[in-house]
Each structure stands twice: as C-alpha cells, then as structure tokens.
PDB file of all heavy atoms in Angstrom:
ATOM      1  N   MET I   1     -13.861 -44.228   8.897  1.00  0.00           N
ATOM      2  CA  MET I   1     -13.998 -42.937   8.164  1.00  0.00           C
ATOM      3  C   MET I   1     -15.166 -42.111   8.838  1.00  0.00           C
ATOM      4  O   MET I   1     -16.116 -42.587   9.024  1.00  0.00           O
ATOM      5  CB  MET I   1     -14.513 -43.330   6.725  1.00  0.00           C
ATOM      6  CG  MET I   1     -13.633 -44.304   5.933  1.00  0.00           C
ATOM      7  SD  MET I   1     -12.043 -43.302   5.477  1.00  0.00           S
ATOM      8  CE  MET I   1     -12.618 -42.099   4.411  1.00  0.00           C
ATOM      9  N   SER I   2     -14.658 -40.881   9.165  1.00  0.00           N
ATOM     10  CA  SER I   2     -15.649 -39.981   9.906  1.00  0.00           C
ATOM     11  C   SER I   2     -16.577 -39.318   8.889  1.00  0.00           C
ATOM     12  O   SER I   2     -15.939 -38.459   8.008  1.00  0.00           O
ATOM     13  CB  SER I   2     -14.902 -38.852  10.660  1.00  0.00           C
ATOM     14  OG  SER I   2     -14.150 -39.729  11.654  1.00  0.00           O
ATOM     15  N   HIS I   3     -17.874 -39.571   8.846  1.00  0.00           N
ATOM     16  CA  HIS I   3     -18.719 -38.950   7.836  1.00  0.00           C
ATOM     17  C   HIS I   3     -19.462 -37.837   8.689  1.00  0.00           C
ATOM     18  O   HIS I   3     -20.089 -38.054   9.778  1.00  0.00           O
ATOM     19  CB  HIS I   3     -19.636 -39.903   7.271  1.00  0.00           C
ATOM     20  CG  HIS I   3     -18.876 -40.933   6.447  1.00  0.00           C
ATOM     21  ND1 HIS I   3     -18.415 -40.800   5.183  1.00  0.00           N
ATOM     22  CD2 HIS I   3     -18.635 -42.126   6.830  1.00  0.00           C
ATOM     23  CE1 HIS I   3     -17.919 -41.851   4.735  1.00  0.00           C
ATOM     24  NE2 HIS I   3     -17.890 -42.667   5.752  1.00  0.00           N
ATOM     25  N   PRO I   4     -19.679 -36.586   8.025  1.00  0.00           N
ATOM     26  CA  PRO I   4     -20.448 -35.542   8.672  1.00  0.00           C
ATOM     27  C   PRO I   4     -21.814 -36.011   9.060  1.00  0.00           C
ATOM     28  O   PRO I   4     -22.485 -36.562   8.151  1.00  0.00           O
ATOM     29  CB  PRO I   4     -20.429 -34.482   7.780  1.00  0.00           C
ATOM     30  CG  PRO I   4     -19.326 -34.731   6.804  1.00  0.00           C
ATOM     31  CD  PRO I   4     -19.152 -36.317   6.814  1.00  0.00           C
ATOM     32  N   GLY I   5     -22.318 -35.813  10.286  1.00  0.00           N
ATOM     33  CA  GLY I   5     -23.581 -36.225  10.615  1.00  0.00           C
ATOM     34  C   GLY I   5     -23.846 -37.733  10.993  1.00  0.00           C
ATOM     35  O   GLY I   5     -24.961 -38.117  10.871  1.00  0.00           O
ATOM     36  N   SER I   6     -22.796 -38.581  10.874  1.00  0.00           N
ATOM     37  CA  SER I   6     -23.005 -39.919  10.996  1.00  0.00           C
ATOM     38  C   SER I   6     -22.005 -40.422  11.995  1.00  0.00           C
ATOM     39  O   SER I   6     -21.011 -39.893  12.233  1.00  0.00           O
ATOM     40  CB  SER I   6     -23.046 -40.637   9.642  1.00  0.00           C
ATOM     41  OG  SER I   6     -21.671 -40.606   9.177  1.00  0.00           O
ATOM     42  N   ALA I   7     -22.221 -41.706  12.413  1.00  0.00           N
ATOM     43  CA  ALA I   7     -21.210 -42.441  13.336  1.00  0.00           C
ATOM     44  C   ALA I   7     -20.111 -42.922  12.461  1.00  0.00           C
ATOM     45  O   ALA I   7     -20.174 -43.105  11.145  1.00  0.00           O
ATOM     46  CB  ALA I   7     -21.935 -43.698  13.846  1.00  0.00           C
ATOM     47  N   PRO I   8     -18.825 -43.114  13.149  1.00  0.00           N
ATOM     48  CA  PRO I   8     -17.677 -43.743  12.447  1.00  0.00           C
ATOM     49  C   PRO I   8     -18.041 -45.103  11.728  1.00  0.00           C
ATOM     50  O   PRO I   8     -18.830 -45.873  12.253  1.00  0.00           O
ATOM     51  CB  PRO I   8     -16.688 -43.915  13.559  1.00  0.00           C
ATOM     52  CG  PRO I   8     -17.114 -42.944  14.638  1.00  0.00           C
ATOM     53  CD  PRO I   8     -18.619 -42.898  14.518  1.00  0.00           C
ATOM     54  N   GLU I   9     -17.575 -45.287  10.596  1.00  0.00           N
ATOM     55  CA  GLU I   9     -17.760 -46.472   9.776  1.00  0.00           C
ATOM     56  C   GLU I   9     -16.517 -47.288   9.634  1.00  0.00           C
ATOM     57  O   GLU I   9     -15.529 -46.900   9.071  1.00  0.00           O
ATOM     58  CB  GLU I   9     -18.320 -46.017   8.432  1.00  0.00           C
ATOM     59  CG  GLU I   9     -18.635 -47.257   7.616  1.00  0.00           C
ATOM     60  CD  GLU I   9     -19.052 -46.753   6.143  1.00  0.00           C
ATOM     61  OE1 GLU I   9     -19.399 -45.646   5.992  1.00  0.00           O
ATOM     62  OE2 GLU I   9     -18.973 -47.636   5.316  1.00  0.00           O
ATOM     63  N   PRO I  10     -16.615 -48.578  10.157  1.00  0.00           N
ATOM     64  CA  PRO I  10     -15.417 -49.451  10.160  1.00  0.00           C
ATOM     65  C   PRO I  10     -15.231 -49.940   8.835  1.00  0.00           C
ATOM     66  O   PRO I  10     -16.094 -50.270   7.926  1.00  0.00           O
ATOM     67  CB  PRO I  10     -15.695 -50.610  11.155  1.00  0.00           C
ATOM     68  CG  PRO I  10     -17.251 -50.683  11.071  1.00  0.00           C
ATOM     69  CD  PRO I  10     -17.733 -49.205  10.960  1.00  0.00           C
ATOM     70  N   HIS I  11     -13.888 -50.228   8.345  1.00  0.00           N
ATOM     71  CA  HIS I  11     -13.525 -50.510   7.052  1.00  0.00           C
ATOM     72  C   HIS I  11     -12.701 -51.731   6.940  1.00  0.00           C
ATOM     73  O   HIS I  11     -12.778 -52.405   5.916  1.00  0.00           O
ATOM     74  CB  HIS I  11     -12.996 -49.412   6.260  1.00  0.00           C
ATOM     75  CG  HIS I  11     -14.027 -48.354   5.689  1.00  0.00           C
ATOM     76  ND1 HIS I  11     -14.680 -48.429   4.595  1.00  0.00           N
ATOM     77  CD2 HIS I  11     -14.426 -47.290   6.444  1.00  0.00           C
ATOM     78  CE1 HIS I  11     -15.485 -47.455   4.447  1.00  0.00           C
ATOM     79  NE2 HIS I  11     -15.381 -46.657   5.478  1.00  0.00           N
ATOM     80  N   THR I  12     -11.693 -51.960   7.827  1.00  0.00           N
ATOM     81  CA  THR I  12     -10.816 -52.916   7.571  1.00  0.00           C
ATOM     82  C   THR I  12     -11.184 -54.382   7.999  1.00  0.00           C
ATOM     83  O   THR I  12     -11.451 -55.236   7.173  1.00  0.00           O
ATOM     84  CB  THR I  12      -9.367 -52.617   8.162  1.00  0.00           C
ATOM     85  OG1 THR I  12      -9.743 -52.191   9.574  1.00  0.00           O
ATOM     86  CG2 THR I  12      -8.761 -51.377   7.528  1.00  0.00           C
ATOM     87  N   SER I  13     -11.150 -54.556   9.382  1.00  0.00           N
ATOM     88  CA  SER I  13     -11.434 -55.964   9.810  1.00  0.00           C
ATOM     89  C   SER I  13     -12.817 -56.324   9.518  1.00  0.00           C
ATOM     90  O   SER I  13     -12.971 -57.533   9.184  1.00  0.00           O
ATOM     91  CB  SER I  13     -11.121 -56.045  11.349  1.00  0.00           C
ATOM     92  OG  SER I  13     -11.868 -54.947  11.978  1.00  0.00           O
ATOM     93  N   ALA I  14     -13.731 -55.526   9.549  1.00  0.00           N
ATOM     94  CA  ALA I  14     -15.116 -55.809   9.288  1.00  0.00           C
ATOM     95  C   ALA I  14     -15.234 -56.194   7.798  1.00  0.00           C
ATOM     96  O   ALA I  14     -15.912 -57.319   7.442  1.00  0.00           O
ATOM     97  CB  ALA I  14     -16.058 -54.646   9.548  1.00  0.00           C
ATOM     98  N   VAL I  15     -14.633 -55.628   6.865  1.00  0.00           N
ATOM     99  CA  VAL I  15     -14.750 -55.953   5.537  1.00  0.00           C
ATOM    100  C   VAL I  15     -13.951 -57.207   5.224  1.00  0.00           C
ATOM    101  O   VAL I  15     -14.401 -57.921   4.444  1.00  0.00           O
ATOM    102  CB  VAL I  15     -14.064 -54.740   4.709  1.00  0.00           C
ATOM    103  CG1 VAL I  15     -13.878 -55.123   3.254  1.00  0.00           C
ATOM    104  CG2 VAL I  15     -15.060 -53.521   4.715  1.00  0.00           C
ATOM    105  N   ALA I  16     -12.846 -57.278   5.812  1.00  0.00           N
ATOM    106  CA  ALA I  16     -12.038 -58.599   5.628  1.00  0.00           C
ATOM    107  C   ALA I  16     -12.875 -59.721   6.106  1.00  0.00           C
ATOM    108  O   ALA I  16     -12.862 -60.839   5.322  1.00  0.00           O
ATOM    109  CB  ALA I  16     -10.772 -58.604   6.624  1.00  0.00           C
ATOM    110  N   GLY I  17     -13.574 -59.777   7.284  1.00  0.00           N
ATOM    111  CA  GLY I  17     -14.446 -60.895   7.586  1.00  0.00           C
ATOM    112  C   GLY I  17     -15.651 -61.079   6.748  1.00  0.00           C
ATOM    113  O   GLY I  17     -15.936 -62.182   6.373  1.00  0.00           O
ATOM    114  N   ARG I  18     -16.220 -60.002   6.189  1.00  0.00           N
ATOM    115  CA  ARG I  18     -17.281 -60.044   5.101  1.00  0.00           C
ATOM    116  C   ARG I  18     -16.756 -60.698   3.798  1.00  0.00           C
ATOM    117  O   ARG I  18     -17.460 -61.554   3.482  1.00  0.00           O
ATOM    118  CB  ARG I  18     -17.900 -58.661   4.972  1.00  0.00           C
ATOM    119  CG  ARG I  18     -19.029 -58.672   4.039  1.00  0.00           C
ATOM    120  CD  ARG I  18     -19.400 -57.213   3.715  1.00  0.00           C
ATOM    121  NE  ARG I  18     -20.413 -57.063   2.837  1.00  0.00           N
ATOM    122  CZ  ARG I  18     -20.857 -55.948   2.235  1.00  0.00           C
ATOM    123  NH1 ARG I  18     -20.297 -54.840   2.744  1.00  0.00           N
ATOM    124  NH2 ARG I  18     -21.770 -55.889   1.351  1.00  0.00           N
ATOM    125  N   LEU I  19     -15.699 -60.383   3.477  1.00  0.00           N
ATOM    126  CA  LEU I  19     -15.050 -60.886   2.293  1.00  0.00           C
ATOM    127  C   LEU I  19     -14.816 -62.336   2.419  1.00  0.00           C
ATOM    128  O   LEU I  19     -14.878 -63.112   1.508  1.00  0.00           O
ATOM    129  CB  LEU I  19     -13.896 -60.057   1.776  1.00  0.00           C
ATOM    130  CG  LEU I  19     -14.077 -58.704   1.311  1.00  0.00           C
ATOM    131  CD1 LEU I  19     -12.886 -57.986   0.908  1.00  0.00           C
ATOM    132  CD2 LEU I  19     -15.032 -58.665   0.053  1.00  0.00           C
ATOM    133  N   ASN I  20     -14.278 -62.685   3.559  1.00  0.00           N
ATOM    134  CA  ASN I  20     -14.014 -64.161   3.884  1.00  0.00           C
ATOM    135  C   ASN I  20     -15.277 -64.947   3.730  1.00  0.00           C
ATOM    136  O   ASN I  20     -15.218 -66.077   3.104  1.00  0.00           O
ATOM    137  CB  ASN I  20     -13.360 -64.273   5.293  1.00  0.00           C
ATOM    138  CG  ASN I  20     -12.885 -65.728   5.458  1.00  0.00           C
ATOM    139  OD1 ASN I  20     -12.183 -66.328   4.607  1.00  0.00           O
ATOM    140  ND2 ASN I  20     -13.129 -66.222   6.571  1.00  0.00           N
ATOM    141  N   TRP I  21     -16.372 -64.612   4.372  1.00  0.00           N
ATOM    142  CA  TRP I  21     -17.589 -65.354   4.276  1.00  0.00           C
ATOM    143  C   TRP I  21     -18.057 -65.226   2.756  1.00  0.00           C
ATOM    144  O   TRP I  21     -18.612 -66.301   2.218  1.00  0.00           O
ATOM    145  CB  TRP I  21     -18.667 -64.602   5.159  1.00  0.00           C
ATOM    146  CG  TRP I  21     -18.734 -65.036   6.633  1.00  0.00           C
ATOM    147  CD1 TRP I  21     -17.662 -64.720   7.521  1.00  0.00           C
ATOM    148  CD2 TRP I  21     -19.496 -65.970   7.058  1.00  0.00           C
ATOM    149  NE1 TRP I  21     -18.115 -65.322   8.694  1.00  0.00           N
ATOM    150  CE2 TRP I  21     -19.141 -66.033   8.475  1.00  0.00           C
ATOM    151  CE3 TRP I  21     -20.682 -66.662   6.674  1.00  0.00           C
ATOM    152  CZ2 TRP I  21     -19.847 -66.853   9.397  1.00  0.00           C
ATOM    153  CZ3 TRP I  21     -21.256 -67.529   7.558  1.00  0.00           C
ATOM    154  CH2 TRP I  21     -20.853 -67.755   8.808  1.00  0.00           C
ATOM    155  N   LEU I  22     -17.944 -64.069   2.032  1.00  0.00           N
ATOM    156  CA  LEU I  22     -18.446 -63.988   0.707  1.00  0.00           C
ATOM    157  C   LEU I  22     -17.753 -64.897  -0.131  1.00  0.00           C
ATOM    158  O   LEU I  22     -18.381 -65.587  -0.992  1.00  0.00           O
ATOM    159  CB  LEU I  22     -18.362 -62.610   0.268  1.00  0.00           C
ATOM    160  CG  LEU I  22     -18.721 -62.252  -1.207  1.00  0.00           C
ATOM    161  CD1 LEU I  22     -20.148 -62.510  -1.375  1.00  0.00           C
ATOM    162  CD2 LEU I  22     -18.396 -60.856  -1.470  1.00  0.00           C
ATOM    163  N   ARG I  23     -16.377 -64.952   0.059  1.00  0.00           N
ATOM    164  CA  ARG I  23     -15.621 -65.829  -0.898  1.00  0.00           C
ATOM    165  C   ARG I  23     -15.998 -67.272  -0.621  1.00  0.00           C
ATOM    166  O   ARG I  23     -16.179 -68.042  -1.613  1.00  0.00           O
ATOM    167  CB  ARG I  23     -14.121 -65.698  -0.458  1.00  0.00           C
ATOM    168  CG  ARG I  23     -13.150 -66.667  -1.329  1.00  0.00           C
ATOM    169  CD  ARG I  23     -11.796 -66.501  -0.747  1.00  0.00           C
ATOM    170  NE  ARG I  23     -11.602 -66.880   0.723  1.00  0.00           N
ATOM    171  CZ  ARG I  23     -11.469 -68.064   1.027  1.00  0.00           C
ATOM    172  NH1 ARG I  23     -11.579 -69.206   0.224  1.00  0.00           N
ATOM    173  NH2 ARG I  23     -11.546 -68.354   2.357  1.00  0.00           N
ATOM    174  N   ALA I  24     -16.158 -67.759   0.608  1.00  0.00           N
ATOM    175  CA  ALA I  24     -16.441 -69.106   0.916  1.00  0.00           C
ATOM    176  C   ALA I  24     -17.896 -69.380   0.285  1.00  0.00           C
ATOM    177  O   ALA I  24     -18.136 -70.489  -0.196  1.00  0.00           O
ATOM    178  CB  ALA I  24     -16.386 -69.394   2.374  1.00  0.00           C
ATOM    179  N   GLY I  25     -18.838 -68.521   0.548  1.00  0.00           N
ATOM    180  CA  GLY I  25     -20.147 -68.861   0.146  1.00  0.00           C
ATOM    181  C   GLY I  25     -20.360 -68.831  -1.402  1.00  0.00           C
ATOM    182  O   GLY I  25     -21.066 -69.678  -1.828  1.00  0.00           O
ATOM    183  N   VAL I  26     -19.550 -67.893  -2.023  1.00  0.00           N
ATOM    184  CA  VAL I  26     -19.839 -67.929  -3.570  1.00  0.00           C
ATOM    185  C   VAL I  26     -19.154 -69.118  -4.209  1.00  0.00           C
ATOM    186  O   VAL I  26     -19.726 -69.770  -4.994  1.00  0.00           O
ATOM    187  CB  VAL I  26     -19.246 -66.512  -4.077  1.00  0.00           C
ATOM    188  CG1 VAL I  26     -19.126 -66.632  -5.677  1.00  0.00           C
ATOM    189  CG2 VAL I  26     -19.979 -65.305  -3.540  1.00  0.00           C
ATOM    190  N   LEU I  27     -17.957 -69.348  -3.666  1.00  0.00           N
ATOM    191  CA  LEU I  27     -17.259 -70.591  -4.100  1.00  0.00           C
ATOM    192  C   LEU I  27     -18.005 -71.801  -3.935  1.00  0.00           C
ATOM    193  O   LEU I  27     -18.177 -72.711  -4.811  1.00  0.00           O
ATOM    194  CB  LEU I  27     -15.843 -70.737  -3.416  1.00  0.00           C
ATOM    195  CG  LEU I  27     -14.755 -69.747  -4.034  1.00  0.00           C
ATOM    196  CD1 LEU I  27     -13.494 -69.904  -3.144  1.00  0.00           C
ATOM    197  CD2 LEU I  27     -14.446 -69.941  -5.413  1.00  0.00           C
ATOM    198  N   GLY I  28     -18.549 -71.983  -2.580  1.00  0.00           N
ATOM    199  CA  GLY I  28     -19.384 -73.126  -2.382  1.00  0.00           C
ATOM    200  C   GLY I  28     -20.640 -73.247  -3.287  1.00  0.00           C
ATOM    201  O   GLY I  28     -20.995 -74.299  -3.815  1.00  0.00           O
ATOM    202  N   ALA I  29     -21.376 -72.190  -3.420  1.00  0.00           N
ATOM    203  CA  ALA I  29     -22.623 -72.316  -4.237  1.00  0.00           C
ATOM    204  C   ALA I  29     -22.280 -72.467  -5.699  1.00  0.00           C
ATOM    205  O   ALA I  29     -22.949 -73.365  -6.333  1.00  0.00           O
ATOM    206  CB  ALA I  29     -23.326 -70.877  -4.063  1.00  0.00           C
ATOM    207  N   ASN I  30     -21.242 -71.809  -6.088  1.00  0.00           N
ATOM    208  CA  ASN I  30     -20.881 -71.983  -7.613  1.00  0.00           C
ATOM    209  C   ASN I  30     -20.452 -73.416  -7.754  1.00  0.00           C
ATOM    210  O   ASN I  30     -20.825 -74.135  -8.819  1.00  0.00           O
ATOM    211  CB  ASN I  30     -19.695 -71.061  -7.928  1.00  0.00           C
ATOM    212  CG  ASN I  30     -19.313 -71.237  -9.396  1.00  0.00           C
ATOM    213  OD1 ASN I  30     -20.207 -70.929 -10.332  1.00  0.00           O
ATOM    214  ND2 ASN I  30     -18.159 -71.539  -9.542  1.00  0.00           N
ATOM    215  N   ASP I  31     -19.629 -73.998  -6.991  1.00  0.00           N
ATOM    216  CA  ASP I  31     -19.170 -75.512  -7.097  1.00  0.00           C
ATOM    217  C   ASP I  31     -20.337 -76.546  -6.964  1.00  0.00           C
ATOM    218  O   ASP I  31     -20.413 -77.362  -7.772  1.00  0.00           O
ATOM    219  CB  ASP I  31     -18.224 -75.766  -6.058  1.00  0.00           C
ATOM    220  CG  ASP I  31     -16.687 -75.425  -6.504  1.00  0.00           C
ATOM    221  OD1 ASP I  31     -16.623 -74.736  -7.411  1.00  0.00           O
ATOM    222  OD2 ASP I  31     -15.808 -75.818  -5.821  1.00  0.00           O
ATOM    223  N   GLY I  32     -21.174 -76.044  -6.052  1.00  0.00           N
ATOM    224  CA  GLY I  32     -22.360 -76.953  -5.903  1.00  0.00           C
ATOM    225  C   GLY I  32     -23.391 -77.024  -7.161  1.00  0.00           C
ATOM    226  O   GLY I  32     -23.740 -78.093  -7.525  1.00  0.00           O
TER     227      GLY I  32
END
C-alpha cells in the first residue's frame, strides 16, 4: 500500500508469517 509521504507497506506474506507465529504462540500459552 503506497501511503503519501511514507515507504511502501507490505501486507500479505509479512502478515501471514506474523499470524502464523501469533496463532502458535496464543494457542501454546492458552493451552499451557
């Protein structure tokens, strides 16, 4: 996404990786 006055911001693969970590972390902590 091109934002005026800022650098391009990635959304797909970066978010997918972040969500993968978040899912594993939250599930692990909750189960623990």
Side-chain angles (χ1 to χ4, degrees):
M1 300 297 291
S2 299
H3 298 279
S6 65
E9 179 182 341
H11 281 274
T12 51
S13 52
V15 170
R18 180 182 176 187
L19 291 178
N20 187 46
W21 275 79
L22 177 61
R23 177 187 61 81
V26 170
L27 284 176
N30 182 61
D31 271 11

